[in-house]
Amino acid sequence: MSLSDLKVGELAKLGHVTAETVRHYTREGLLSPQRHPDNGYQLYSATDLERLHFIQRARKLGFSVAEIRDILAHADQGDSPCPLVRDLLAHRLPQIRARDCRARGTCPANGAGTGELARHA
């Protein structure tokens, strides 16, 4: 199987997601498959697989689909998305750290400390 002509199910398998997830991200404009000229199948590339992995990591960090779309649009235009990502993370980091702290059970009982964690970002 070539990474230049992946069908929906093949991309989903390689990306460890469902085919419906791939279709959703395609509808949202996050993935840009080509159409096979003979049968109209959507064909995805290695770039789409890389984007899918990025989308998954960004979603785990709490980024919305709209935020991911903005980040990818900056990158697609040749602009560095770093300033945008830094701004988004600056607002999101306290939430991420608090969620991580709760998941590990290491938060102080009174909730203090999450602000301190954010100040050290």
Side-chain angles (χ1 to χ4, degrees), residues 45-109:
S45 67
T47 300
D48 289 307
L49 181 58
E50 291 172 13
R51 287 172 78 101
L52 181 58
H53 287 144
F54 172 80
I55 294 164
Q56 291 173 281
R57 288 189 303 270
R59 293 293 290 154
K60 283 183 182 176
L61 288 173
F63 285 98
S64 70
V65 169
E67 290 168 331
I68 295 168
R69 187 182 305 109
D70 289 344
I71 292 166
L72 291 173
H74 274 76
D76 289 345
Q77 293 172 3
D79 297 334
S80 172
C82 293
L84 173 64
V85 173
R86 274 194 297 273
D87 289 346
L88 291 170
L89 278 175
H91 290 99
R92 177 88 14 84
L93 194 56
Q95 298 163 353
I96 294 168
R97 287 190 169 160
R99 184 182 67 205
D100 184 52
C101 160
R102 286 190 303 272
R104 288 193 268 163
T106 58
C107 294

Side-chain angles (χ1 to χ4, degrees), residues 26-41:
T26 300
R27 284 190 303 271
E28 291 291 333
L30 302 178
L31 300 173
S32 303
Q34 301 297 313
R35 287 275 179 190
H36 189 285
D38 296 332
N39 57 27
Y41 286 166

